[in-house]
Amino acid sequence: MNLPASLTDRLARLALPSRAVIDGALIEAASGATFHNVSPRDGQVINQVAACQAEDVARAVASARAAFEDGRWRDLGPRDKKKILFRLADLMERDAEDLALLESLDVGKPIRDARAVDIPLAINTCRWYAEALDKVYGEVGASPIDRLSYATHEPLGVIGAIVPWNFPLHMAMWKVAPALAMGNSVVLKPAEQSPLTALKLGELALEAGLPPGVLNVVPGLGAIAGEALALSMDVDMIAFTGSGPVGRKLMEYSARSNLKRVSLELGGKSPQIVFADCPDLEAAAQAAAWGVFYNQGEVCTAASRLLVEASIQDAFVERVAAIAGAMVPGDPLDPDTVFGAMVSERQMKTALNYIATADSQGARRVLGGERVRRASGGFYVEPTIFDQVAPDSTLAREEVFGPVLAVMSFTGEDEAIALANDTVYGLAAGLWTADLNRALRGARKLKAGLVWVNGWDACDITMPFGGFKQSGFGRDRSLHALHKYADLKSVSVTLR
Ligand code: NAD
């Protein structure tokens, strides 16, 4: 693997975070337990990371609770809170190259994407919520003359943020930044596949002057550290992004413990519809390919179902396959790589199993489908396209969370919308058409939390992000996310 010398030097000097951040200190798990942190780039162990157990999580929660109750963060004036969050964003910017390296190494994503997307967006999220934190207003009720009634947004208390491995720092910031902006304390549990940038975030937050205990980071296994956090009697809310099965468990844990609030962002099987009157077929083909293959398909909004009007299907699929065929899997740390490794051997096997199932169920494989770069020891799967996928087949219905596209055809608007909505998920959906009426009708009829017309993933921090149906509930991003981390309190003062 021929990497630029500047990058190999930096890699050699890169400090690899490994300890939990609890109550303002970097510490090992009390038991001394660690877990192997493996890089999907070559299958090699990067480092040993503290494997937090229930007792470590309890310490983190206690420290977050103490920080919340004594008001060391919650009661700080908005200007001081902002100063600290802006400083944190500045420190992330200072260390952006290291953060990008850690992210690429840990999850196998192309370093160019970590540099251009993950890290800048995480920094922007931090700044956006720092700016927003004093723009949350309460309301005054229409009270009788002898009473003053008003409602305020009160922080919830201790937030448990459980985040996934596909955009580790970015997803962490989507939760940590609004939660802190509202005055809460946070215990962040990164995915075991990708703990490095979350641990670095915890360190930078201390350097930025965030008081001890306000942001704790507890690396560890989901079934141990994650479960302990979600079962805690002293956590007020779990904010989660990840799989449906774990989302269901979190609701059970809530019911079994203190009825903590739960917000769930659970992925999808998002359709992208291309009508024959599409105003720019080349742009649509690019969006069809990048919409599903970006980040190796490990994206909750991946456009994993492509619905094409029958009259243009063959030519369109051919063009999408040509674009995807140029996405050759490569070393994530090579700045020229656009398509990296899958996060883990397990995730790679899951994708390969879905490919084998689609083959056996009669879909037509038009591109890819193989594991490649075996000699590297890493977990690489080619961009894969299946045409003529039956709507009731496994590939049409289940989320792969890998680089596999299912293509189906339709005739007419009604069939397109019915096919698009024929899923238990409802995260994102898109449609390409030159007909404004059809676009607006479609936007209304598509059952998804995010709808894109003549583009894919064309939105940013200013717009709410989250799903309908089994894609979960609660919104990340935008001012709505702030309200998720607050309770409404009604106060009525009788004037005597
Ligand atoms: P997961 O749901 O198992 O893991 C997500 C987070 O939950 C991790 O931090 C994990 O440690 C934690 N977790 C796991 N078990 C837990 C438990 N019992 N209690 C509390 N926390 C627990 O996801 P995964 O195994 O990493 O990936 C499996 C599937 O999840 C993927 O194939 C994909 O479908 C989905 N996924 C979705 C997203 C998304 O953005 N919506 C992101 C990653 C994965």
Side-chain angles (χ1 to χ4, degrees):
M1 295 179 189
N2 293 323
L3 299 176
S6 58
L7 204 133
T8 38
D9 285 353
R10 189 148 200 147
L11 205 53
R13 285 184 283 111
L14 190 63
L16 295 169
S18 65
R19 288 179 293 172
V21 183
I22 298 179
D23 205 19
L26 309 188
I27 56 171
E28 305 295 345
S31 65
T34 59
F35 65 91
H36 296 312
N37 184 28
V38 172
S39 176
R41 170 183 179 241
D42 54 10
Q44 298 295 310
V45 174
I46 308 171
N47 67 343
Q48 299 292 331
V49 174
C52 288
Q53 315 286 308
E55 59 183 316
D56 307 299
V57 172
R59 270 192 69 190
V61 171
S63 113
R65 173 60 59 195
F68 183 73
E69 296 303 334
D70 72 17
R72 69 186 83 157
W73 173 247
R74 178 185 55 174
D75 295 346
L76 216 55
R79 269 190 294 172
D80 292 323
K81 280 202 188 86
K82 267 187 196 196
K83 226 183 261 174
I84 292 173
L85 291 181
F86 278 129
R87 213 180 290 144
L88 173 58
D90 291 344
L91 293 174
M92 289 166 73
E93 200 147 54
R94 179 196 70 190
D95 292 352
E97 179 61 11
D98 282 355
L99 286 165
L101 265 176
L102 292 173
E103 208 74 306
S104 177
L105 200 59
D106 222 4
V107 298
K109 69 172 64 215
I111 181 93
R112 62 190 282 156
D113 292 341
R115 282 176 178 152
V117 180
D118 292 69
I119 309 307
L121 291 188
I123 295 168
N124 184 52
T125 300
C126 190
R127 292 211 173 101
W128 200 85
Y129 284 106
E131 284 164 358
L133 66 80
D134 55 1
K135 293 164 188 76
V136 179
Y137 293 92
E139 51 195 72
V140 177
S143 318
I145 190 70
D146 62 347
R147 200 182 309 149
L148 176 64
S149 297
Y150 57 94
T152 57
H153 299 280
E154 301 267 323
L156 289 173
V158 176
I159 309 297
I162 302 181
V163 296
W165 41 259
N166 52 346
F167 296 92
L169 186 65
H170 192 194
M171 292 302 98
M173 282 314 276
W174 275 12
K175 301 188 189 314
V176 168
L180 291 180
M182 289 307 280
N184 298 283
S185 299
V186 177
V187 180
L188 170 64
K189 211 300 279 171
E192 46 271 50
Q193 297 85 344
S194 58
L196 297 179
T197 49
L199 295 174
K200 174 99 179 154
L201 175 69
E203 293 175 17
L204 292 178
L206 293 175
E207 189 182 341
L210 197 70
V214 176
L215 174 62
N216 304 273
V217 187
V218 288
L221 304 186
I224 298 173
E227 181 179 303
L229 189 59
L231 276 172
S232 168
M233 293 299 287
D234 212 13
V235 168
D236 298 289
M237 175 188 180
I238 291 289
F240 176 71
T241 296
S243 64
V246 173
R248 284 167 201 269
K249 280 188 192 172
L250 295 174
M251 294 189 71
E252 271 179 49
Y253 297 156
S254 165
R256 276 165 49 197
S257 55
N258 59 344
L259 287 178
K260 56 178 67 63
R261 283 139 184 76
V262 176
S263 77
L264 303 177
E265 200 277 89
L266 305 176
K269 191 77 195 175
S270 299
Q272 187 158 207
I273 307 169
V274 183
F275 288 98
D277 71 350
C278 167
D280 185 343
L281 279 170
E282 177 56 24
Q286 293 284 348
W290 286 106
V292 64
F293 296 127
Y294 183 73
N295 210 45
Q296 300 69 243
E298 296 165 331
V299 182
C300 49
T301 52
S304 53
R305 288 186 299 147
L306 175 62
L307 315 183
V308 191
E309 190 139 30
S311 59
I312 58 163
Q313 188 183 5
D314 290 347
F316 189 76
V317 173
E318 203 176 297
R319 181 66 193 129
V320 175
I323 296 165
M327 299 175 185
V328 180
D331 181 354
L333 291 182
D334 180 339
D336 290 330
T337 293
V338 298
F339 190 95
M342 298 199 67
V343 72
S344 63
E345 187 168 17
R346 191 182 121 201
Q347 201 65 20
M348 175 184 70
K349 285 185 172 160
T350 302
L352 292 172
N353 280 339
Y354 275 111
I355 290 168
T357 304
D359 280 336
S360 73
Q361 292 183 350
R364 189 172 73 91
R365 200 199 304 183
V366 293
L367 185 77
E370 304 297 329
R371 178 180 183 185
V372 290
R373 294 175 57 81
R374 271 173 191 273
S376 68
F379 313 127
Y380 300 84
V381 177
E382 297 172 301
T384 303
I385 300 178
F386 282 95
D387 199 357
Q388 295 164 16
V389 173
D392 58 351
S393 67
T394 307
L395 190 62
R397 311 208 72 78
E398 295 186 14
E399 183 183 41
V400 177
F401 225 73
V404 188
L405 174 63
V407 184
M408 288 170 264
S409 72
F410 66 86
T411 309
E413 193 178 314
D414 289 348
E415 193 188 355
I417 300 291
L419 259 181
N421 285 338
D422 183 19
T423 168
V424 296
Y425 293 108
L427 187 53
L431 53 90
W432 293 77
T433 176
D435 179 341
L436 178 65
N437 293 304
R438 173 184 272 169
L440 294 177
R441 255 193 319 270
R444 196 173 267 194
K445 287 183 178 168
L446 286 166
K447 293 182 182 156
L450 299 144
V451 174
W452 296 305
V453 177
N454 295 339
W456 188 261
D457 204 7
C459 59
D460 58 27
I461 187 73
T462 60
M463 294 301 291
F465 183 104
F468 285 11
K469 302 197 282 183
Q470 290 184 34
S471 289
F473 48 83
R475 292 293 180 265
D476 289 317
R477 300 196 315 203
S478 80
L479 297 178
H480 293 277
L482 290 169
H483 293 149
K484 186 166 90 174
Y485 297 105
D487 253 345
L488 264 181
K489 178 185 278 179
S490 292
V491 179
S492 285
V493 181
T494 301
L495 309 178
R496 296 191 187 283

